[in-house]
Amino acid sequence: MSKTPASPKGKPAPKSQPRKATAKPEGAAPEGDRIAKVLSRAGVASRREAERMIAEGRVSVNGKKIDSPALNVTAKDRISIDGQPLPEAEAPRMWLYYKPIGLVTSNSDEKGRKTIFDELPEDMPRVMTVGRLDLNSEGLLLLTNDGGIKRKLELPATGWLRRYRVRINGRPKDEDFAPLRKGLVIEGERFQPMTVSLDRQQGANAWLTVGLREGKNREIRRAMEDIGFSVNRLLRVSYGPFQLGNLKPGEVEELRPRVVRDQLGLAEEEEKPAARPTRARGGKPAGKPMGKPAGKPMGKPAGKPMGKPAGKPVGKQAAQPSGKQGNPGRTAGKAPPARGTRPDQRGGGKRPAGKNPRR
């Protein structure tokens, strides 16, 4: 009987109260991410495709099939597709692809036409397209293995300029393109202003450079038809900072991981491990972060003045980081000189530890 009243007055009472308050706060958002988002980021499918797979009963969570994408999952949940465990998400990767004329930008075509995925190299991993190009359009198409990147780059809020080389039939004048520069409304659909420059006349055709920041279906063709010109060739030459360059029809080129991180704002998150090697500063580290100096100063230097140990470990420590910083140094050396280096890569990859002993 004595134990029963003692328990609420003792320690268990204050501990149980905060636990109940934090366990189920009212109005708190569900933990984890939506299942379709997780599948997309793992490179399995786009969000829309993932939702179709869920509706078809192909996705299971913790051994139970689900039929609705309105479900949040966490890392603790076991997800499988067609009975196979969900593959671990890879590092974000991107490719530049020169889409030839005559290929459909789709995983499959109801008319039986060839798609870009029928022509991609066999050693390519599963990828998704960033946006689309029409059957009779050609040029730069971005590919990625990450559904989050795909969604981010397709959003109008991203605002990346897409430039096209366009050939139209006729002899236009520069003022003919004023409606496109102001913005059009075609069949109730609003087209944002385009940048249009008349490059040259070539016989019965004229070459233009057109830039836009959205990707509606057949946007350029429809806009040109509205002002009285027909497009007989359309070639995308750039998508934001990514250029078609010297790629030939059907060729694929993977972007360097550093370029992907820089252009997509992933640099800080990915570069943190590279910034771990620290420089020795006047004896303050006392050899702790390093290997050999840590063994010697542990005993004697602890009781001695800072003068003598500070001199020796600084020299050794300055030599030690040069080995450990070798990998970041070589990584920085591989990057194109035009892109420069970041503040955490001092010296541009040339002897990063060379200046340390002199400071």
Side-chain angles (χ1 to χ4, degrees):
M1 296 295 295
S2 60
K3 291 183 180 180
T4 305
S7 56
K9 294 180 181 180
K11 294 181 181 179
K15 286 185 180 180
S16 60
Q17 290 177 358
R19 284 178 184 174
K20 290 181 180 179
T22 56
K24 295 181 180 180
E26 294 183 2
E31 293 184 1
D33 293 315
R34 287 294 177 116
I35 180 68
K37 182 178 180 180
V38 173
L39 297 179
S40 176
R41 285 188 172 175
V44 172
S46 66
R47 288 197 184 188
R48 290 182 181 179
E49 292 171 349
E51 290 174 357
R52 290 195 204 100
M53 295 168 66
I54 292 170
E56 294 170 359
R58 298 172 57 189
V59 180
S60 298
V61 177
N62 299 324
K64 296 181 180 180
K65 289 185 178 181
I66 60 173
D67 56 7
S68 171
L71 173 68
N72 279 40
V73 294
T74 66
K76 297 178 181 179
D77 293 308
R78 293 178 289 104
I79 305 171
S80 60
I81 302 170
D82 297 330
Q84 299 297 323
L86 181 70
E88 293 184 5
E90 298 180 354
R93 298 171 69 186
M94 288 185 65
W95 292 261
L96 308 179
Y97 172 58
Y98 190 139
K99 176 201 170 296
I101 296 174
L103 295 181
V104 180
T105 308
S106 176
N107 289 323
S108 60
D109 183 66
E110 63 279 1
K111 297 181 181 180
R113 296 170 296 186
K114 281 190 174 183
T115 73
I116 64 166
F117 299 102
D118 294 328
E119 300 297 322
L120 289 176
E122 294 183 359
D123 59 348
M124 285 277 292
R126 189 195 182 282
V127 295
M128 296 164 279
T129 63
V130 177
R132 292 172 176 265
L133 280 175
D134 298 334
L135 176 70
N136 295 320
S137 299
E138 60 183 305
L140 180 62
L141 190 62
L142 300 181
L143 308 175
T144 180
N145 67 333
D146 190 291
I149 290 179
K150 169 184 168 67
R151 180 173 173 81
K152 178 179 179 180
L153 299 187
E154 289 179 345
L155 288 174
T158 304
W160 273 356
L161 182 69
R162 305 154 197 191
R163 289 192 302 113
Y164 299 78
R165 292 278 290 153
V166 182
R167 189 178 67 189
I168 62 174
N169 183 255
R171 296 180 178 274
K173 297 179 181 179
D174 188 70
E175 53 266 28
D176 294 334
F177 306 111
L180 276 66
R181 294 168 180 146
K182 293 178 182 179
L184 292 172
V185 177
I186 302 176
E187 298 178 354
E189 189 173 10
R190 175 74 179 178
F191 287 4
Q192 297 298 321
M194 306 177 185
T195 61
V196 185
S197 62
L198 178 58
D199 298 334
R200 61 190 172 93
Q201 189 73 36
Q202 187 180 37
N205 298 315
W207 279 98
L208 317 172
T209 298
V210 180
L212 51 85
R213 296 184 183 275
E214 61 180 358
K216 294 181 179 177
N217 185 34
R218 302 182 70 252
E219 184 171 356
I220 294 178
R221 295 180 187 274
R222 293 166 62 190
M224 291 296 171
E225 290 174 1
D226 191 70
I227 61 173
F229 299 100
S230 61
V231 175
N232 50 40
R233 190 176 180 188
L234 192 147
L235 169 70
R236 184 193 279 167
V237 294
S238 69
Y239 193 113
F242 305 112
Q243 308 290 324
L244 181 64
N246 296 322
L247 281 180
K248 297 178 182 179
E251 287 186 344
V252 183
E253 177 184 324
E254 182 173 6
L255 293 168
R256 294 181 179 181
R258 164 170 285 184
V259 174
V260 177
R261 294 196 303 266
D262 289 349
Q263 299 300 338
L264 302 182
L266 306 176
E268 291 185 5
E269 182 178 347
E270 296 293 333
E271 294 258 322
K272 282 181 181 178
R276 287 179 184 173
T278 55
R279 296 179 299 162
R281 293 183 182 273
K284 187 177 179 181
K288 283 186 179 181
M290 302 303 169
K292 291 183 179 180
K296 293 182 179 180
M298 285 300 290
K300 294 182 179 180
K304 289 186 177 182
M306 292 299 294
K308 212 170 184 181
K312 290 182 179 180
V314 167
K316 292 182 181 180
Q317 290 169 354
Q320 289 286 346
S322 65
K324 292 191 176 183
Q325 291 181 345
N327 291 337
R330 287 195 293 272
T331 303
K334 291 182 180 179
R339 297 189 178 276
T341 55
R342 295 181 186 76
D344 61 327
Q345 293 173 336
R346 305 182 184 276
K350 295 183 179 181
R351 301 190 181 186
K355 294 183 180 180
N356 298 341
R358 296 183 176 85
R359 290 196 174 187

